[in-house]
Structure formats: C-alpha cells, structure tokens
Amino acid sequence: MSNALNGTGVNSATVNQLAASILPGWGTAIKNVKVEVLALSEPAEATTNQGGSATLRFASSGTKFTVRLTPLDGTYQAREVTLVNNVSRQDSVYHLALEPALVVRGQVRLGKQPIAGARVFVDWSGLKVETFSDANGNYVLGGIPAKQPLTLRATRSGSSYVGAELKRTFTAPTDGVDLLITQYNKLDLSQLLGVPVEVETLEDKGGVVSITGAFMRLRGTAGLALADTALRLPFGSVAVKGGPSKNANGIPYMVPASGNSITSSVTKAEVVVNGKLPGFLAKSDGLRVVGGTGGQPGAVRGAVYLPVTQFKDQSIHFGATDKVYLAHPTAPANERLAYAALVPAGVEATPAPRWQPVTSDNKALTYKLYNFPAEATPAASALGHDTLRLATTLHPQPAGLATALSVNVGVVSALPGKVLPVSGTAKLSLPLESWTLESSKFTLSKNQGLYLQSGTLHLGAVTDASRDVAFEDLTILPSSLSQAQFNLSSLKLGGIGTLTVAKEAKALLAFDAGQKHWSLDVLRPDQTGAAVASLSGLPDAVGAVDLRLLTFFANQTQAAQLIDNSPALTLNQVVSFRPVTMVVGADNLQLGGTINLNIPQLGEQDGKLSIVRENQQPKLVVTMPDMQFQTGPLIVKLPGLNYQRLATGGVSFEGTAEEPGVVKFNVKLFHTPDSTAIGLRPQQKFELAQGGGYLDNVRGWMRPSGGQWPLLTFGGDVKNANGLSGVLSLSVHGDIMSDNQQVTVKNVPTPFGDMKLTFDIPKKRLVGELPFEKDMGGGTKVTGTANLLADPTGWLMLSAGAMEKTNPSMKGAAMLVVGSHALEPEIQEQFQKFSYFYKTKGVMPPSFPKTVDGFYFEGEIGMPVPIIPSFDVDLIVISGKLESIMGGDMRMGMNFSNGTEFGIGQSVFLDVKAGVGGTVVLVCGGVEAGVHADMSADGKVNVSTGDWSIAGDASVKLTGTAYGGYGVCDSDCSWFTCDKHEKSVDLTVGAKIGVSNAGTNYSVYLK
C-alpha cells in the first residue's frame, strides 16, 4: 500500500495505493477473494484475479487501515488485518496469507420437519461464518477451520424454537451434518425486553429457566443505519420468567428474572451515520440492550464513533485519537455516550440529533489543523450530513511562550474529501494577556496559516479606542508570528503627552521570554541609533524626549530607552532636565536624569520627573535630593523635592545660608526667567553681643551677576546696643573664613589694596584691616595699614603709614586714631610700627592715651642735612659712605572720656652715619659709626579738672661697629665666599624732666 498525491479529482487528499497478493499457507495464489478497506466514506474493494492479486486506490488522511479478506467460495478462512501505510507515490505491496477452510453440508429439522430460514453458524470469536437453510432446511456452510474444535449452531426465531448445538472437529469436507432444534411452550421465546431474539440454549430446572441466544432484527435510529442488517448481538446465560404480557395463545412473553438490561458479547457494530459516514456503535464491555418503559420496546445502547481514516485531507490530523465520538446533545450527562442507537425492526426511527464531536470521555476533541494544535468546543460543534463542523480554537505557541495561545477561528468544516478553507468577516479575537488582537478579515489555510488581513491590537480595554493600534498583514503560524504592518500614529505613553513615531520605525509583536510577557517593540530597522519616537507636550515642560527603543508590555507596563545625550527639557522656563531613563506605567510616566536649576555654583543634581494624572489632568512633579553649594565660605543648603510640583513661572526653595558654627540665616531662593536671588527670610535676629545688642528684622539679598554670586549684604534695626539705634547695614566682601569663632572677610578690593574684615563672634567685635602700598607718582611711595574696630563697648578707626620721597629725598610716617574705645595691646601694636617716639624711646609718648574718646595723631618727617653731603661709594676693594638725616615728630590729641583733655608733643632729631671699608681680596675689614641726637617735649592739660603736665627728654646715642673677614671678599666683607666677623657697641646719654600741677621730677640716664 502506498500514498501518492493526486492533483486532480481528489481535492489534494491522500491517495492510498494497495496491491495485495493473496496466498494460501503453502504459497498458491488464491482468486476470487474480496479485498475491502473498512471504515471509509467511499467503498474501496476489489476481487483478486487469477494470480491472487488485487489493487485498491482510495483517499484518506489516516495511516492505519483495517483490511478484510473474504474468500467467495468458502474454501479459505476470512481474515481482517491492520496495515500501517504512509504516504508514497509507489504501490505498497503486501503479501497476505489465508488459512484453508472446509465446507460442511446438512439439514436443519424440528424432529423430522425441515426448518427453512434457520441460521447456521460457527459459534467462535473469529470472523462471522454463517449461512441460512433453504426451503427444505438444507444448508451449505464454508469457511470452517479444519482440525479445530468448534461449536456449530442452528437457530430460528419464533415463539417456541430452541436452537441446536453440535460440538465437533472437522478434518475434511463433510456432508450430512444435520442440526435438530427443539421447542419450549411454557414461555414465548420470540423477544426479550421488547427486542427480537434467537434462543440458542434453554435450561429449565424446576421452573427456573435460563437461556442463551442473540438479539436480532435490529435497525438504526437517530440518523444511524446498520452496515450489517443481519447483525446479531449474542448474550450469555440469562435467567428469565414469564412477563405480564402474553401472546395470542395466552403464553407469556419472557422477561429477565431481574433487572431491565442485558449486555451482549459484541463490543462494536458497524453503522452508517447520516446515510453517508461509516462508523461504529461501541461499548467496551459489550453493547447493552435496555428495556423500554411504558410498553415501549427496548433499544441497544452504546456510543457511536467515526474512524478518522475516512477524512482524506491531511490538513486535519487527529494524531493518536483515531476516533471521533458523537455525543447526543440532549441526552442526560450519563447517557450522552450511551444512548439508544438501535431499535427493533419496524419501530419508527427518531430524527438524527445535532451530534457533537467529542473524545471517548466526552471532552473537547483535540487535533491538528494546518499543523496548529486545535480543539473543538463541543457545544458549538456538530456533525452535519457528511461534515464535521468543528468550532475550532487554535493554540499557536510562539517560541518562548510557556502556555499556548487560544484563538477562536469559528467553525471549520471537515468533509471526508477535504477541509474547507476558513475565512470570515466575523470578529476573530486573540487574547494576549491584557491585550486583545482582533480581526474581521482573516483566512486560515495550509499555505498561509492564520492570515489576518487587517485588524486592531487593543493595548487597553477593548472599549478604549484611545489605546488601539491598527495593523495589516499579520500571519500567525503554529510556532511563530510574522511581522505585521502596524499603524503607530495612535500610540501613547501612559496616556500622557504626544508620542510622535518616526516614519522609519517598525513595530515587532512578540513574546518576550525574559519579561515573560507579550511585547510590542518599536524600533528602527536601520539600527542607526537615531530616535524611533519623540515624546512632547509634557505638562510644564518645553522640548521633547527622544526615544531609541520603545516597548509596550501586555501586563500594562511600558519601557523606553532614550537616545544617548537626549536633549534637555526646559521646565517652568528656568530649569533644565536632561533625561537618561524612562519608566512608563498605565497612566503615568517617570523620567530619571539630571536637573540643572541654572543657579550659579549649584551644578547638576540627580533627579526624577513624574507625570501623573490628577482629576484626569496630567501634572508634572519633581523628585530631587537636598542641594548645597558654596560661595566663598558661605554654604547655602536647600531642601530637595519629594514628588512636588514646581512653582508656576519658576522655582523657589527655602533653606539656610551659613558658615558652620559662625553665622546662619534662613533664606529663600527665587529663580524666575527675569530674576535670581537669595533673600533672608523675615523676622530673623542677628546678635551683636551675647545678651546685649542685636539686629532685629534682618534683611538682605544676594543676586548673581555674570554667573557669580556677589557680596552678601544684610542689615537690620539696631536694638539694645548701648544707646546705638537706627539701621545698621553690613556687607560681606571677599573670601569669608571661620577661625576660632571669628568670621573673616578677606581680599575686599579697595583703591589702596585688599581689605580684611573679621567678626569675632564671642566678642561680637568687627575688626577691619587694610594694608596699603601705593606709588603716588613723582617719586613718592606710601605704605601702611588702616584699621577699624567696632564692638558693643565702642568703636575706633586707626590709620598708620610711612612715606618715602626720592626727589627731594625725605621720609616720614604718620598715625591717626579716632573713635571711642580702649586702646588695647593689638591696637597699640599697629600704632607702634610707625611711631617715631616708640622706635627711639621704646615707650609710647606721654601724651598717648590708654583710651581714646576723641582722636590722637603722631607724624614724623626726616630729610638730609643740606650742609652735610651724603654719599655711598663701593669700588669693591674700597668703600665709604656718609649719611645725615634731620627731622621732627609732632604729636597731638583730644580726649573726652574724662572731661576734656588736650595733649601735644614734639621731637627734633639729627641722625648721622659714616663708614669705611677695604679689601686685599683674601682679607677685608672696616668700621661704621653713628650718632643720633634727639630732643622731645610733651604736654597735657584737662580743662575740666585743671590737671596739666609737661615732660621733656633729651638724648644722644652713639653707635660703632668694626668688622673683618677672610676668603674671597669685597670691601664690605659681604660676598658669600667671605667669612665675616663683626663687633658692635652703643651708648645713650640722656636727661628727663617732668613738670605738672602735682610737682617736678628730673633724671639723667646712661645706657
């Protein structure tokens, strides 16, 4: 037997070609053997020729067939054989052997009376071997196995006939084998349970009657017909008794002694369904005859199935299931596969029900359709006249998917010869988790699979058209999905903003094995890294987010991958946000990235934007960490945002500006398109002295310029400050430092140099210092320092400096202090650096106050003596110099701390220095000498108390130095190769006089 595809006449079904060579056991060809393939919708049979061969061609989708061989002359035993046949274009040849058989002849009689129409048969488990007696009771029975113990029976239906039985082994054809039937007149033996029977044996033991026999003269009902109209259903020993009904002669019809059903030994019988399709009525433990109710005749119950071999189109394949059972749709659940299928001949047949194709356990039928795993919903499936109408759900399973999909394609019509193409305009629906794929234009075929010409992918609820994506040309295969053309113009991200998809972008519908969800990936086939889509129209934001990859998942999550260096968004006109990551929810959107508030010295911050829906309207909220930046020593700290909206038209933050442990203000930062500033928040105080003065209602601002923050300026109302009142304003300049509880502002630019201001927090003291050095032009240069001091005890300003002029040559120094404050040691030290009196006497002038509450001034000027030339000659081997300076010093002051006190002082001096030195290269030596003469006078008077004093001092100071050295020396012994040694002496002789209203004193000193 072989299968070959025949392109014409058989609708692409399989053509099976069977060539059978029938031989007896010893090898001689057998002619006149009927060869037939069972259970085909169209008969396939042939008779062997003289050479014992027969060829059959038939169409079937099956691969396993039952072939029956029936010798027509009875000299060989009939046989059924199952053949497995695969598709081939060549004949598959099978050599099938038959066993020889004998022919037996005889007569059937009741006593001496011939019985016509008696059934004569071999009672065995093999194929049926039977015949009927003629009008004279004679019979000829062929096909009897030789040399095998057999039981030969003869039965005759009727009210009193009991069959004949003969046990015998035949070794050769035999004539004269007569069979004698008997009669039993106590019961009517013609029917049992309302169904005609033939009684084979009867045993009556004391009125207890048992019979064996067979039900007969049956016909199909409910659209069924028996293939063998002479079907007998044998049954074993059954106890019977007389029933309530009697025949015309008053003899009761027999009924089972107990129960209302009898099981036959036949497990299946061939039937024809709907006059077209071959099938079988079957019951695994034997077909059962069940008595009727209300006087109705009994019926044979079982389940009907169709062998799948009769469906020729290989587009449908039932796999291991070689039977399609037919369930009765209206029968009780326990009778859907055990219904009345055969009734006694003469009983009117019921109409065919709408049979439902199921499995042997009344479950959904499974099969493969165009290689798709499929199942038929029983309630929606039916058997038509010759068509299985299967309400089919396909189960494609793309790679990576753990559970197959389910797509209802409607009714598939499978005829014995072909499967009709499936197409439709009814809505086809394929659930993909929370998504639904729908199409009203589709076809299902062998070549294309399930082809959806057009349809809609619902990314949300089917009723929510705003999340629908239209598509065209989607092909679903058993293990894959082809790529469709998706219209991406309606895609949305979280229902927020406007998503514009690039025209080059394509969508890929697939199952993501990693995420274990269906996904719709939007990507660019060109793989350039360019954006596949851009998201714009976000609330409070200007710009668009460019996406490199975009994925929608069927669990209602979405994911996006941004392009590298995605452009920044502008938030509220002033904030820049550069997105890096994106997470998309069903109705929200989150962007992670960096936030730049565009505030000087703050820099970028990690942050997150969340766009959510509130009252059906999208809003933008920001999450970012606490912020901190430093301008000079001032640290500005601003709290972050936690899921908060930005202020309309800009941003604002409330935080602090502080030098840790020094000063701290609560501030508010404003940043709008027009202005940026840090302002002190209202109702703050600044303490000037512990438990003492303070600034109330402090206010102040910082506004950046040119990308830099300027000086911090603040001020407030002076309170409780020893009578000081009004508004005090402070500016913090330069670089602020904190040291030992002091705030120092350094490098404050002025025309004379950089000023330094120090605020001593424990003392609440502000100290300013301005060292200066300036070339005034004309050969004049000034150097010095200016000082400012202010604290709760008072204030003062001190300026001290030195002047040097080259033409004419002169030098000088001056000091001025103004204010109301004790002249503390550090103040006096500044004064001493430039005081002539202190430098020559080692003490402050007598007129110098210890506390200033007014002013005090000292000035010095010195110049060369005109009549004494000055020179400085250095000829290396000999040098000499002469210098003479004369000058004076003026001192004056006024103090009001203890009445009104005036002070005045004056000094005149002469200073002469001379020296000579020489060298003879290896030895050097020289002397230097000097004389300083000075006369000073100071006086003070207190006009309030009348106290006065005058102090005078006159002195001469002599100095001398001798030096020598050896090595390679110059005249000054100053070369680095010269080892110099020197010896110096000085002597001061002076006198002091003091006169006051308290008395006079005089002293002479030598030192």
Side-chain angles (χ1 to χ4, degrees), residues 695 699 712-718 726-732 766:
L695 296 182
R699 54 265 188 197
L712 172 61
T713 301
F714 66 93
D717 302 328
V718 180
V727 176
L728 176 62
S729 295
L730 302 175
S731 294
V732 180
L766 179 65

Side-chain angles (χ1 to χ4, degrees), residues 414-493:
L415 284 75
K418 60 183 178 180
V419 174
L420 298 182
V422 178
S423 62
T425 57
K427 187 172 292 185
L428 176 149
S429 179
L430 173 59
L432 302 174
E433 297 178 78
S434 65
W435 295 352
T436 305
L437 192 70
E438 287 188 343
S439 174
S440 297
K441 294 182 179 180
F442 65 92
T443 59
L444 176 63
S445 63
K446 180 178 180 180
N447 295 330
Q448 282 191 300
L450 181 58
Y451 171 68
L452 311 184
Q453 181 179 347
S454 61
T456 301
L457 176 61
H458 299 284
L459 299 182
V462 175
T463 56
D464 183 6
S466 66
R467 302 185 63 189
D468 289 352
V469 179
F471 68 86
E472 295 179 348
D473 300 329
L474 175 62
T475 299
I476 301 175
L477 299 174
S479 59
S480 64
L481 273 70
S482 73
Q483 294 318 305
Q485 300 295 322
F486 287 91
N487 183 349
L488 305 177
S489 62
S490 62
L491 282 177
K492 292 185 179 296
L493 275 178

Side-chain angles (χ1 to χ4, degrees), residues 795-819:
W795 66 277
L796 64 80
M797 290 188 296
L798 169 65
S799 179
M803 179 273 292
E804 182 176 358
K805 184 174 177 61
T806 58
N807 188 22
S809 177
M810 63 177 64
K811 295 181 180 180
M815 293 74 66
L816 173 66
V817 59
V818 179

Side-chain angles (χ1 to χ4, degrees), residues 84-98:
V84 176
N85 183 47
N86 294 315
V87 176
S88 171
R89 293 184 179 274
Q90 303 297 324
D91 285 349
S92 294
V93 179
Y94 297 88
H95 297 284
L96 305 174
L98 295 180

Side-chain angles (χ1 to χ4, degrees), residues 367 375-378 380-382 389-393 408 410-412:
Y367 46 97
E375 65 177 343
T377 304
S381 300
R389 298 179 55 81
L390 304 174
T392 298
T393 298
N408 186 346
V411 175
V412 174

